[in-house]
């Protein structure tokens, strides 16, 4: 029996992409947040050094990788007291997002809560497990009996950042109703509101001495241009991490050994992360004022790889107008009913393409 899943939303963008490609100077594709800059040399070198990978790698991650994860959480996320028992690598973060309800044993009748404007894979993960996805932002409104809560801060698509106070309140509420709570934090290093990364759900000010039922999910795709490596990890409650590890061992969900070795290099080098952040900041500083000058309102967008923009019209009308000037964006409807009057524009394009988009936007005001 086939799973009852919705159509893959990106397929509906095909005709708009075809129209945008007709522009004399080609398409500016700002629809998908896929990195365009080179993978750092320090990471590529580490991968090459580890290509003699004749033995099966450890599902839990090699001891050096788990130590690197512990060190990284302490140095970059303000979480100083983890041990290797609190962390494991994953095959990219989307795999974990889609499978977490299943890995936790959820099924029919169980509720998975996610934000009202949200990455669609949170709901898809619930559907794969046979659970029910419910979109609710306010922790006070999370249903009794909820089994899993997804937060996403910094958020995709809207770039919001949840402050420490909200994260603490959310964790308290999740524990009150007996739910696992997981924060998808993969954009944390791309925080435009300050020089520090966005706060983690594992921050001691949030957990207040207990990580029970609490997980942080992270990906190196964004900060290190490793989308093609499928390099991510999860950390938090050691009991939960251990449960996930046992299921993953049975299922053979193992990051390849060379990728694990490359992850160690990426986690240990902050310089390339700082440099990549500044590339995105510069692109944002070009694209945002161009959108605003063209009559768009930018909402939230305090962090992450996207600008959450609106012309106060149906998102598909905006997508069509952008395609007419050779720009492809993502319709906010992909991310829930609350996004239907927004579009998401990614910063993951070259400097030249971002500049081209800014120039073209001057012609959209009267469309």
């Amino acid at each position: 029996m086939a799973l009852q899943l919705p159509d893959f939303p990106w397929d509906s963008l095909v005709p708009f992409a075809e129209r945008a490609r007709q522009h004399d100077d080609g398409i500016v594709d700002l629809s998908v947040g896929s990195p365009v800059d080179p993978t750092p040399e320090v990471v590529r070198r580490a991968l090459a050094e580890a290509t003699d990978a004749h033995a099966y790698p450890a599902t839990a991650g090699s001891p050096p990788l788990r130590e690197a994860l512990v060190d990284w959480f302490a140095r970059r996320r303000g979480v100083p007291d983890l041990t290797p028992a609190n962390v494991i690598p994953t095959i990219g973060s989307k795999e974990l997002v889609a499978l977490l309800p299943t890995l936790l044993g959820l099924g029919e009748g169980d509720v998975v809560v996610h934000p009202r404007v949200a990455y669609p894979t949170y709901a898809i993960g619930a559907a794969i497990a046979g659970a029910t996805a419910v979109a609710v932002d306010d922790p006070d409104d999370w249903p009794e009996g909820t089994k899993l809560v997804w937060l996403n801060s910094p958020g995709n698509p809207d770039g919001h950042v949840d402050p420490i106070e909200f994260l603490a309140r959310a964790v308290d509420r999740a524990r009150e109703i007996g739910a696992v709570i997981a924060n998808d934090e993969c954009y944390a290093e791309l925080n435009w509101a300050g020089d520090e990364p966005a706060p983690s759900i594992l921050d001691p000010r949030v957990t207040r001495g207990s990580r029970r039922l609490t997980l942080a999910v992270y990906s190196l795709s964004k900060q290190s241009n490793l989308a093609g490596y499928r390099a991510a990890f999860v950390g938090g409650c050691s009991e939960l991490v251990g449960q996930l590890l046992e299921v993953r061992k049975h299922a053979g969900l193992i990051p390849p050994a060379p990728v694990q070795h490359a992850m160690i290099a990426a986690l240990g080098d902050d310089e390339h992360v700082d440099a990549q952040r500044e590339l995105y900041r510069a692109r944002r500083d070009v694209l945002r004022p161009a959108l605003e000058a063209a009559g768009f309102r930018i909402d939230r967008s305090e962090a992450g790889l996207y600008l959450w923009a609106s012309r106060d019209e149906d998102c598909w009308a905006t997508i069509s107008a952008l395609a007419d000037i050779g720009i492809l964006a993502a319709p906010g409807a992909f991310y829930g009913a609350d996004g239907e009057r927004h579009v998401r524009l990614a910063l993951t394009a070259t400097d030249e393409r971002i500049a081209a988009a800014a120039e073209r936007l001057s012609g959209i005001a009267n469309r």
Side-chain angles (χ1 to χ4, degrees):
M1 296 176 62
L3 286 171
Q4 298 301 307
L5 299 178
D7 293 337
F8 190 61
W10 296 96
D11 292 343
S12 61
L13 274 183
V14 170
F16 298 97
E18 292 175 350
R19 194 192 313 172
R21 289 191 186 97
Q22 301 308 308
H23 191 278
D24 290 344
D25 188 35
I27 189 172
V28 177
D29 190 346
L30 306 181
S31 64
V32 181
S34 184
V36 298
D37 300 306
T39 299
E41 178 61 28
V42 64
V43 179
R44 295 162 65 185
R45 188 166 57 247
L47 183 78
E49 291 169 352
T51 53
D52 181 14
H54 49 272
Y56 287 114
T59 309
S62 68
L65 174 56
R66 296 180 91 182
E67 290 292 348
L69 291 170
V70 168
D71 292 345
W72 179 87
F73 267 110
R75 190 178 73 255
R76 300 303 303 170
R77 307 300 287 126
V79 184
D81 58 345
L82 299 185
T83 73
N86 297 109
V87 293
I88 53 171
T90 64
I91 311 167
S93 60
K94 185 172 184 176
E95 166 255 294
L96 182 70
V97 171
L99 291 182
L100 186 59
T102 299
L103 296 174
L104 292 173
L106 275 57
E108 185 176 354
D110 292 328
V111 171
V112 175
V113 164
H114 61 76
R116 291 181 62 85
V117 174
Y119 182 48
T121 308
Y122 306 130
I124 293 296
I128 290 172
T132 300
V134 178
V136 185
D137 286 336
D138 189 337
D140 291 341
D141 295 332
W142 293 345
E144 295 289 338
T146 296
K147 294 297 180 67
L148 172 62
V149 174
W150 276 110
L151 302 180
N152 178 206
S153 174
N156 172 16
D158 65 357
H160 79 277
V161 175
D162 292 328
I164 288 288
E165 296 76 16
F166 176 85
L167 293 174
R169 177 179 164 222
V171 167
D172 287 346
R173 173 61 176 162
R175 291 175 182 169
E176 179 182 308
I177 61 178
V180 172
I181 184 167
N183 190 22
D184 182 351
E185 303 181 355
C186 71
Y187 300 97
E189 288 281 2
L190 304 174
N191 185 14
W192 312 121
D195 294 330
E196 296 298 319
S200 174
I201 199 170
L202 299 182
D203 188 300
R205 293 171 292 176
V206 175
T207 59
R208 294 191 290 273
S210 171
R211 287 182 290 271
R212 185 173 65 88
L213 300 179
T214 306
L215 297 171
V217 179
Y218 201 81
S219 168
L220 297 179
S221 295
K222 316 303 182 185
Q223 71 166 48
S224 300
N225 298 328
L226 294 188
Y229 283 50
R230 312 313 300 135
F233 48 91
V234 60
C237 172
S238 59
E239 182 177 341
L240 280 177
V241 168
Q243 178 182 339
L244 296 178
L245 175 58
E246 286 305 307
V247 181
R248 295 176 72 83
K249 287 194 293 187
H250 282 291
L253 294 171
I254 312 172
V259 172
Q260 294 191 30
H261 192 65
M263 289 175 69
I264 296 170
L267 290 162
D269 181 69
D270 295 339
E271 184 176 347
H272 79 270
V273 180
D274 295 339
Q276 188 61 47
R277 184 189 311 112
E278 295 313 305
L279 282 176
Y280 285 135
R281 190 192 305 276
R283 292 165 185 164
R284 184 177 186 271
D285 289 346
V286 171
L287 188 59
R288 178 168 187 154
L291 285 162
E292 291 173 330
F296 286 83
R297 183 183 73 248
I298 307 301
D299 291 327
R300 310 191 87 165
S301 304
E302 299 101 354
L305 281 178
Y306 312 106
L307 292 171
W308 188 233
S310 176
R311 296 204 306 175
D312 287 320
E313 64 184 5
D314 181 82
C315 60
W316 288 104
T318 309
I319 291 296
S320 182
L322 288 169
D324 286 342
I325 58 170
I327 297 173
L328 188 67
F334 283 4
Y335 306 95
D338 284 14
E340 289 179 348
R341 299 182 74 80
H342 286 78
V343 296
R344 191 196 75 172
L345 297 104
L347 303 176
T348 49
T350 63
D351 294 348
E352 183 274 332
R353 289 288 83 185
I354 293 290
E359 182 177 353
R360 295 177 193 187
L361 282 164
S362 63
I364 200 177
N366 296 322
R367 289 178 181 266

